[in-house]
Amino acid sequence: MKSPKKLSSWRAKIHEIIYGTHTPAGKLFDIILLFAIIYSIVIVMLESVKSLDNKYHDFFNISEWVITILFTIEYILRIISVSKPRKYIFSFYGIVDLLSTLPKYISYFIVDTHFLSVFRALRLLRVFRILKLIRFVGESNNLVRALKNSRSKIFIFIFFIFIISIILGTVMYLIEGPENGFKSIPQSIYWCIVTLTTVGFGDITPQTTLGQILATFIMIIGYGIIAVPTGIVSAEYTASKEKTPNLTNSACENCGADIILSDAEYCRKCGHKLHK
Amino acid sequence: MKSPKKLSSWRAKIHEIIYGTHTPAGKLFDIILLFAIIYSIVIVMLESVKSLDNKYHDFFNISEWVITILFTIEYILRIISVSKPRKYIFSFYGIVDLLSTLPKYISYFIVDTHFLSVFRALRLLRVFRILKLIRFVGESNNLVRALKNSRSKIFIFIFFIFIISIILGTVMYLIEGPENGFKSIPQSIYWCIVTLTTVGFGDITPQTTLGQILATFIMIIGYGIIAVPTGIVSAEYTASKEKTPNLTNSACENCGADIILSDAEYCRKCGHKLHK
Amino acid sequence: MKSPKKLSSWRAKIHEIIYGTHTPAGKLFDIILLFAIIYSIVIVMLESVKSLDNKYHDFFNISEWVITILFTIEYILRIISVSKPRKYIFSFYGIVDLLSTLPKYISYFIVDTHFLSVFRALRLLRVFRILKLIRFVGESNNLVRALKNSRSKIFIFIFFIFIISIILGTVMYLIEGPENGFKSIPQSIYWCIVTLTTVGFGDITPQTTLGQILATFIMIIGYGIIAVPTGIVSAEYTASKEKTPNLTNSACENCGADIILSDAEYCRKCGHKLHK
Amino acid sequence: MKSPKKLSSWRAKIHEIIYGTHTPAGKLFDIILLFAIIYSIVIVMLESVKSLDNKYHDFFNISEWVITILFTIEYILRIISVSKPRKYIFSFYGIVDLLSTLPKYISYFIVDTHFLSVFRALRLLRVFRILKLIRFVGESNNLVRALKNSRSKIFIFIFFIFIISIILGTVMYLIEGPENGFKSIPQSIYWCIVTLTTVGFGDITPQTTLGQILATFIMIIGYGIIAVPTGIVSAEYTASKEKTPNLTNSACENCGADIILSDAEYCRKCGHKLHK
């Protein structure tokens, strides 16, 4: 993340503040950005509560404009201070940063009266600002690796859930029929997935004896096969952990004993002082 | 999957296209089949939505006939191009392929007015076409082996769930009784499984204090014992992964027995030295 | 399970039939018993369905008497054929066997008109007959050992669930109050366990914003801590499995290589014929 | 847990009774305390049931005073008998012990008529007494260590659940809208977490086809990602079990650092040779 030499000194400084995390200014910028994101998300959420929107409409509107302008400045500074702007603009974060600012501007130019619902939808796009928070999450390499290794197996697993749901959903539609709330096959499949994943809303429930027996069967399947993704991730995670010994797994220079606890200052086997 | 020498050249070619996956024609056939299956499933599902069926009834009907005729041709070609047709016909896929085509023909010959409900049920059998998709799923050997090894334990586990559900369901029927929605013992057992598997529809809920205490007990059991199948599959999956580092799906040249372990140097069935 | 020498020959024979599983007579007895138990359970369950009871009351009653008499004979034969009858009578199975027969007799002597509800409850005790089925389940030693080893940890886990539920249930009672369905602290705790275990009946749901925020918190706790018993059982099960190498884990007499697959007839390392 | 030498003999004796668990008096004290806590919790809970409170109000009130006075005496004795009272007072247990007694006294001095709701809240604070029970739970070191090691990963996991819920909740609000029960974005997010954690109350359910498709998607995500915390805890628990065969909770005689690994021969903090 070191700023390339080509950048002029003030651009290098901006780069350090925006992308860097080690200087006080860089840290301050990150903290301000963090709160701005959370604040903007909270505003988007509260705006949707009618009673609050009626009371504080102007406050919400001004807050939105302030945040949008701040994010616009941030977006422009990011483009300026980076040596390859095009790469940033089309990167994941670049698109998220752009999407965070656009909706408010579009809402200004479009006359609300005619495009009210589209306008409303665009405003809510701002919720994607939350993806900016991912910047602040430290890497969890083992976890991601375990998920990546499990990917194909989890895909097969979800595929089988769909096949089971389509078949059993169709059978439930046949047994229960529209008169008991299973109005169509897609809805029966929806019910089947609700049941299989043990969510169980209860808005649609089997009424016939045969339907309840099949529902019992579906529930036990769902209860049992939850073990499958768990087993896969668990095993893959264990495997990926074993492959990559964590940092505290060093050895004593004197006697070669393994040092397990990272706060060790002396070897627990020979008493040798550890150099760290 | 090599086509036997007895087949005439055009039959061998058809065999290559239908069963093979390495030639461009074979790949194209697989992709067309894949989309035809998904298309036919979507049609079956949408047909059941009344509002859509009223609008697009003719389109659905024609689509159905086209797909049925295509699958019929595929079925006949599969029988012709295989050297042992009988084996294919009575295999799992053979039966699925037949069941995919039959219902539409039967629906043509049966007069709808009298056998409407039977006719309706037969039409839905076509959903089993989705099982054809399994052909396209790559093998997940470790997963299947883990499930096979866990089979007997998972059976015992489900058996105990049934015993617990029958006893606790009966007790709940005694405590709550028909006046609180627990109309009969089978329905109480149904409720007990709904609760134990943490589905919790909420169509039937305990109303008495004693019933709620027992329900609490059932829920905690259900929440706790979900650990059991997960633990089993997880452990078996880890074990099956560790035991078999790189599985080879080859066969012994001498006796034809399958060679599962890649470090095998001799066939474990006939003692023949393997060439690798 | 060898019958002691003191028993007279006919008692030894009965013992062999009832307790033994290797002779044809013993096997036949087990199969008959298995079906009799399942049949009696089905009868108990169907009797509770009013529409069926009205139609087939006499059939159910006669079936009950036949089974009760059969189980009584079985109970007496078990006492006679065993060398230490007292030990059997007070054993788990002995009590279950007695409880399987008693209720029907008691129902005969008690006049229904006055003690109808007690009588009804006694009849349902017969569902405990299902515990007899446990005899037929093979031992699953690893599983039981894993559960035994996890016992104290699972107890602590359930204990913490109760503490969390009591505290959060009380807080929910304070926030929501009787006007939103949280009528008393015990009921709030009941709701809390329903939510924590991810059952979620939906008969009581938080209505206030604060209540919904706390509910969200409870749900995520519940969703997260389900990992704890699973992790425990999984780890213990893996450990107990490693400790007790399964039967197929033998070694070649010739070269000492481990034999993993139980159907191996030749060592896969040196080609030596295995003696089994 | 040895009482320091500075304490006078009667203070040492009290210390032994209250903190010790090996003398008969210490054991008796623990058992009495255990029952007093459980009794007081049951009283708090039953008081909230209106029908019971009307009947037994005086009994509940007197019971409360007796327990409060007992807990006050215990609290004072604990302060007296300990050599560093300040450390106890500000420790976790010290605060719990104080909070167990205060509410009843405050409720006495505050006139109920005006501060009724505050008064009611304070009374219920006594439920925190249940935290005193934690004293009686044996240490489960492996489990706690596994949870501590998983902490950061579980935090990231919960953080992603929130991001997913905020985005999908907003989308659901857009699709379903206030007319189908998704009144505002916060409530949609609440619904999303209810569904993602597989709780599924069913008080709010999607009504549109698009909403049901997205709901299906949310449910399968929730059903799948439950594997993640389970896999983490399971792997960490296995690892923490393997790494530390027999944990010793002793301390270095020289510098007082805790010795965690039982195979340690030298203190890892000061290099002092340990006598075992």
Side-chain angles (χ1 to χ4, degrees):
Chain A
M1 280 288 187
K2 270 171 77 185
S3 57
K5 283 160 194 173
K6 293 170 218 163
L7 292 174
S8 61
S9 64
W10 65 269
R11 278 173 69 197
K13 194 143 200 189
I14 289 167
H15 188 278
E16 204 180 280
I17 291 167
I18 293 180
Y19 291 95
T21 52
H22 297 296
T23 60
K27 273 180 191 164
L28 189 71
F29 176 84
D30 278 359
I31 289 163
I32 290 168
L33 187 63
L34 185 69
F35 280 98
I37 294 163
I38 292 167
Y39 181 74
S40 76
I41 298 301
V42 170
I43 292 290
V44 171
M45 275 160 54
L46 295 182
E47 243 180 340
S48 76
V49 183
K50 263 198 185 136
S51 59
L52 290 173
D53 192 39
N54 291 341
K55 260 195 190 160
Y56 307 108
H57 183 77
D58 290 339
F59 172 71
F60 287 155
N61 196 30
I62 293 163
S63 290
E64 263 303 321
W65 275 115
V66 171
I67 284 163
T68 302
I69 289 162
L70 276 175
F71 281 177
T72 311
I73 294 168
E74 184 220 345
Y75 183 63
I76 293 165
L77 288 179
R78 275 185 193 273
I79 292 174
I80 291 170
S81 66
V82 115
S83 54
K84 288 181 183 171
R86 197 168 293 178
K87 214 179 150 189
Y88 163 70
I89 289 166
F90 295 102
S91 73
F92 173 71
Y93 287 128
I95 291 160
V96 166
D97 288 348
L98 184 65
L99 285 176
S100 303
T101 55
L102 270 189
K104 195 68 189 170
Y105 293 114
I106 294 169
S107 79
Y108 183 73
F109 293 111
I110 291 174
V111 189
D112 343 5
T113 39
H114 289 89
F115 301 94
L116 205 91
S117 64
V118 179
F119 164 79
R120 192 167 129 255
L122 279 170
R123 279 202 331 198
L124 292 168
L125 267 180
R126 286 167 295 160
V127 91
F128 281 97
R129 271 175 202 155
I130 206 165
L131 291 174
K132 282 187 162 192
L133 282 178
I134 294 172
R135 272 192 227 263
F136 297 99
V137 179
E139 311 285 313
S140 59
N141 276 318
N142 280 340
L143 192 58
V144 171
R145 195 172 310 125
L147 282 176
K148 266 194 190 158
N149 289 346
S150 321
R151 206 174 30 184
S152 66
K153 275 151 210 158
I154 284 175
F155 174 79
I156 292 170
F157 174 70
I158 288 173
F159 174 76
F160 273 106
I161 286 182
F162 267 108
I163 289 188
I164 292 170
S165 296
I166 288 172
I167 292 173
L168 293 180
T170 307
V171 175
M172 279 306 282
Y173 170 72
L174 268 176
I175 293 171
E176 293 283 331
E179 61 275 14
N180 290 327
F182 294 77
K183 283 175 201 162
S184 62
I185 293 180
Q187 201 170 39
S188 287
I189 292 166
Y190 164 72
W191 174 87
C192 196
I193 289 172
V194 168
T195 306
L196 205 64
T197 56
T198 76
V199 172
F201 283 134
D203 51 345
I204 313 165
T205 49
Q207 302 299 325
T208 63
T209 305
L210 198 60
Q212 290 183 346
I213 290 169
L214 189 62
T216 301
F217 181 64
I218 294 169
M219 280 177 254
I220 287 175
I221 289 178
Y223 189 67
I225 59 176
I226 205 168
V228 175
T230 309
I232 294 167
V233 173
S234 184
E236 292 290 347
Y237 183 73
T238 310
S240 85
K241 247 196 114 182
E242 274 166 13
K243 265 181 208 158
T244 54
N246 69 50
L247 292 170
T248 58
N249 245 333
S250 60
C252 172
E253 304 98 299
N254 192 40
C255 72
D258 55 319
I259 307 297
I260 295 165
L261 299 179
S262 60
D263 62 342
E265 286 163 32
Y266 292 89
C267 174
R268 73 182 190 289
K269 281 298 179 194
C270 68
H272 179 77
K273 197 170 189 334
L274 301 172
H275 302 284
K276 287 201 283 198
Chain B
M1 280 290 185
K2 272 169 76 183
S3 56
K5 283 161 193 171
K6 293 171 218 164
L7 291 174
S8 60
S9 64
W10 64 269
R11 278 172 68 198
K13 194 144 199 188
I14 290 168
H15 188 277
E16 203 178 280
I17 293 168
I18 294 180
Y19 291 95
T21 51
H22 297 297
T23 59
K27 273 180 191 167
L28 188 72
F29 176 83
D30 277 358
I31 290 163
I32 291 168
L33 187 62
L34 185 68
F35 280 98
I37 294 163
I38 292 169
Y39 181 74
S40 76
I41 299 300
V42 171
I43 292 290
V44 171
M45 273 160 56
L46 295 183
E47 242 180 341
S48 76
V49 183
K50 263 197 185 139
S51 59
L52 291 174
D53 193 40
N54 290 341
K55 260 194 191 162
Y56 306 108
H57 184 77
D58 290 340
F59 172 71
F60 287 155
N61 196 29
I62 293 164
S63 291
E64 264 302 323
W65 275 114
V66 171
I67 284 164
T68 301
I69 290 162
L70 277 176
F71 282 176
T72 310
I73 295 168
E74 184 220 344
Y75 182 63
I76 293 164
L77 289 179
R78 275 185 194 273
I79 292 175
I80 291 171
S81 67
V82 114
S83 55
K84 289 181 182 172
R86 196 169 294 180
K87 214 179 154 189
Y88 163 72
I89 290 166
F90 294 104
S91 73
F92 174 71
Y93 288 128
I95 291 160
V96 166
D97 288 348
L98 184 64
L99 285 176
S100 303
T101 55
L102 271 189
K104 195 69 189 169
Y105 294 115
I106 294 169
S107 79
Y108 183 74
F109 293 112
I110 291 173
V111 189
D112 338 6
T113 39
H114 289 90
F115 300 95
L116 205 91
S117 64
V118 179
F119 165 78
R120 193 167 127 254
L122 279 169
R123 279 203 329 200
L124 292 168
L125 267 180
R126 284 168 296 158
V127 93
F128 282 98
R129 268 176 205 155
I130 207 168
L131 291 174
K132 281 189 162 190
L133 281 178
I134 295 172
R135 270 193 226 263
F136 297 99
V137 180
E139 310 286 312
S140 59
N141 275 317
N142 281 339
L143 192 59
V144 170
R145 194 170 310 124
L147 283 175
K148 265 194 190 158
N149 289 345
S150 321
R151 206 174 33 186
S152 66
K153 276 151 209 158
I154 285 175
F155 174 80
I156 292 170
F157 174 69
I158 288 172
F159 174 75
F160 272 105
I161 286 181
F162 267 108
I163 289 187
I164 291 170
S165 297
I166 288 172
I167 291 173
L168 292 181
T170 307
V171 175
M172 281 305 284
Y173 171 72
L174 268 176
I175 293 171
E176 293 283 331
E179 61 275 14
N180 290 326
F182 294 78
K183 283 174 201 163
S184 63
I185 293 179
Q187 200 169 38
S188 287
I189 292 167
Y190 164 72
W191 174 87
C192 197
I193 289 172
V194 168
T195 306
L196 206 66
T197 55
T198 77
V199 172
F201 283 135
D203 51 345
I204 312 165
T205 51
Q207 303 298 326
T208 64
T209 306
L210 200 60
Q212 290 182 347
I213 290 170
L214 189 62
T216 301
F217 181 64
I218 294 169
M219 280 177 254
I220 287 176
I221 290 179
Y223 189 66
I225 58 176
I226 205 169
V228 175
T230 309
I232 294 167
V233 173
S234 184
E236 291 290 348
Y237 183 71
T238 310
S240 84
K241 248 196 113 182
E242 274 167 12
K243 261 185 204 159
T244 55
N246 290 311
L247 299 171
T248 48
N249 248 326
S250 59
C252 173
E253 305 98 296
N254 190 41
C255 72
D258 55 319
I259 306 298
I260 295 166
L261 298 178
S262 61
D263 62 343
E265 285 164 31
Y266 292 89
C267 175
R268 73 183 191 287
K269 280 299 180 194
C270 69
H272 178 77
K273 198 171 189 334
L274 300 172
H275 302 282
K276 289 199 283 197
Chain C
M1 279 293 185
K2 270 170 75 184
S3 57
K5 283 163 192 170
K6 293 171 215 163
L7 292 175
S8 60
S9 64
W10 64 271
R11 276 172 70 200
K13 195 143 200 188
I14 290 167
H15 187 278
E16 203 177 280
I17 292 168
I18 294 180
Y19 292 95
T21 53
H22 297 296
T23 59
K27 275 180 190 166
L28 189 71
F29 175 84
D30 278 358
I31 289 163
I32 291 168
L33 187 61
L34 185 69
F35 280 97
I37 294 164
I38 292 169
Y39 181 74
S40 76
I41 299 300
V42 170
I43 291 290
V44 170
M45 273 160 55
L46 295 182
E47 241 180 341
S48 76
V49 183
K50 264 201 183 134
S51 59
L52 290 175
D53 193 39
N54 290 341
K55 259 194 192 163
Y56 306 108
H57 184 77
D58 290 340
F59 171 72
F60 288 155
N61 196 29
I62 293 164
S63 290
E64 263 303 322
W65 275 115
V66 170
I67 284 163
T68 301
I69 289 162
L70 276 176
F71 282 176
T72 310
I73 294 168
E74 183 220 346
Y75 182 63
I76 293 164
L77 288 179
R78 274 185 194 275
I79 292 174
I80 290 171
S81 67
V82 115
S83 55
K84 289 181 182 173
R86 196 168 294 180
K87 213 180 152 189
Y88 164 71
I89 290 167
F90 295 102
S91 74
F92 173 71
Y93 287 127
I95 291 161
V96 166
D97 288 349
L98 184 63
L99 284 176
S100 303
T101 55
L102 271 188
K104 195 69 190 169
Y105 293 114
I106 294 169
S107 80
Y108 183 75
F109 292 112
I110 291 173
V111 188
D112 335 9
T113 40
H114 289 90
F115 301 95
L116 204 89
S117 64
V118 178
F119 164 78
R120 192 167 129 257
L122 280 169
R123 279 204 326 201
L124 291 168
L125 268 179
R126 284 167 296 158
V127 91
F128 281 98
R129 268 176 205 155
I130 206 167
L131 290 174
K132 283 188 162 189
L133 280 178
I134 294 172
R135 272 192 226 261
F136 296 99
V137 179
E139 310 287 312
S140 59
N141 276 317
N142 282 340
L143 193 58
V144 171
R145 196 173 310 126
L147 283 175
K148 265 193 189 158
N149 289 346
S150 322
R151 206 175 33 185
S152 66
K153 276 150 210 158
I154 284 175
F155 175 80
I156 292 170
F157 174 70
I158 288 173
F159 174 75
F160 273 105
I161 286 182
F162 267 109
I163 288 187
I164 291 170
S165 297
I166 287 171
I167 291 173
L168 292 180
T170 307
V171 175
M172 280 305 283
Y173 171 73
L174 268 175
I175 293 171
E176 293 284 331
E179 62 276 14
N180 290 327
F182 294 77
K183 284 175 199 162
S184 63
I185 294 180
Q187 201 170 37
S188 287
I189 292 167
Y190 163 71
W191 174 86
C192 197
I193 290 172
V194 168
T195 306
L196 206 65
T197 54
T198 77
V199 172
F201 283 135
D203 52 345
I204 312 166
T205 51
Q207 302 300 326
T208 65
T209 306
L210 199 60
Q212 290 183 346
I213 291 170
L214 190 62
T216 301
F217 181 64
I218 294 169
M219 280 176 252
I220 287 176
I221 289 179
Y223 189 65
I225 58 176
I226 205 168
V228 175
T230 309
I232 295 168
V233 172
S234 184
E236 292 290 348
Y237 182 71
T238 309
S240 85
K241 246 198 115 182
E242 274 165 12
K243 266 180 207 158
T244 53
N246 68 50
L247 293 170
T248 59
N249 245 334
S250 59
C252 172
E253 305 98 296
N254 191 41
C255 71
D258 54 319
I259 307 298
I260 296 165
L261 299 179
S262 60
D263 61 344
E265 284 164 32
Y266 291 89
C267 174
R268 75 184 189 288
K269 281 296 178 195
C270 67
H272 179 78
K273 197 168 187 338
L274 301 172
H275 302 284
K276 288 199 283 196
Chain D
M1 281 290 188
K2 271 171 75 185
S3 56
K5 283 161 193 171
K6 294 169 215 165
L7 291 174
S8 60
S9 64
W10 65 271
R11 278 173 69 200
K13 193 142 200 188
I14 290 167
H15 188 277
E16 204 178 279
I17 292 167
I18 294 180
Y19 291 95
T21 52
H22 297 297
T23 60
K27 275 180 191 166
L28 189 69
F29 175 85
D30 279 358
I31 289 162
I32 291 168
L33 186 63
L34 184 70
F35 280 98
I37 295 164
I38 291 168
Y39 181 74
S40 77
I41 298 300
V42 170
I43 292 290
V44 171
M45 273 161 54
L46 295 183
E47 241 180 342
S48 76
V49 183
K50 263 199 184 134
S51 59
L52 290 174
D53 192 40
N54 291 340
K55 259 194 192 162
Y56 307 108
H57 184 78
D58 290 339
F59 172 71
F60 286 155
N61 197 29
I62 293 163
S63 290
E64 263 304 320
W65 276 115
V66 171
I67 283 163
T68 302
I69 289 161
L70 275 176
F71 281 177
T72 311
I73 294 168
E74 183 219 347
Y75 183 62
I76 293 165
L77 288 179
R78 275 186 193 273
I79 292 174
I80 291 171
S81 67
V82 115
S83 54
K84 289 180 183 174
R86 195 167 295 177
K87 215 179 149 189
Y88 164 70
I89 290 166
F90 294 102
S91 73
F92 173 72
Y93 288 129
I95 290 161
V96 166
D97 288 347
L98 184 64
L99 284 177
S100 302
T101 55
L102 271 189
K104 194 69 190 169
Y105 293 115
I106 293 170
S107 79
Y108 183 73
F109 293 112
I110 291 174
V111 188
D112 343 4
T113 39
H114 289 89
F115 301 94
L116 205 89
S117 64
V118 179
F119 166 77
R120 192 166 130 256
L122 279 169
R123 280 202 328 201
L124 293 170
L125 267 180
R126 286 166 295 159
V127 90
F128 282 97
R129 270 175 202 156
I130 205 162
L131 291 174
K132 282 187 162 193
L133 281 179
I134 295 172
R135 269 193 230 264
F136 296 99
V137 179
E139 311 285 314
S140 60
N141 275 316
N142 280 342
L143 192 58
V144 170
R145 195 171 308 124
L147 282 175
K148 267 193 189 159
N149 288 347
S150 320
R151 206 175 30 184
S152 66
K153 275 151 211 157
I154 284 175
F155 174 80
I156 293 171
F157 173 70
I158 288 173
F159 174 75
F160 273 105
I161 286 182
F162 267 109
I163 289 187
I164 292 169
S165 297
I166 287 173
I167 292 173
L168 293 180
T170 307
V171 176
M172 281 304 282
Y173 170 72
L174 269 176
I175 293 170
E176 292 283 332
E179 63 274 15
N180 290 327
F182 294 79
K183 285 175 200 162
S184 63
I185 294 180
Q187 201 170 38
S188 286
I189 293 167
Y190 164 71
W191 174 86
C192 197
I193 290 172
V194 168
T195 306
L196 206 64
T197 55
T198 76
V199 172
F201 282 135
D203 51 346
I204 312 165
T205 50
Q207 302 299 327
T208 64
T209 305
L210 199 60
Q212 289 183 347
I213 291 169
L214 190 63
T216 300
F217 182 64
I218 294 169
M219 279 177 254
I220 286 176
I221 289 178
Y223 188 65
I225 59 177
I226 206 169
V228 175
T230 309
I232 295 168
V233 173
S234 183
E236 292 289 347
Y237 183 72
T238 309
S240 85
K241 247 196 114 180
E242 274 167 11
K243 262 187 204 160
T244 54
N246 289 310
L247 300 170
T248 47
N249 247 326
S250 59
C252 173
E253 305 99 296
N254 191 41
C255 73
D258 55 319
I259 306 298
I260 295 166
L261 299 179
S262 60
D263 61 343
E265 284 163 33
Y266 292 89
C267 173
R268 76 186 189 285
K269 281 297 178 195
C270 68
H272 178 79
K273 196 169 190 335
L274 300 172
H275 301 283
K276 289 199 282 196

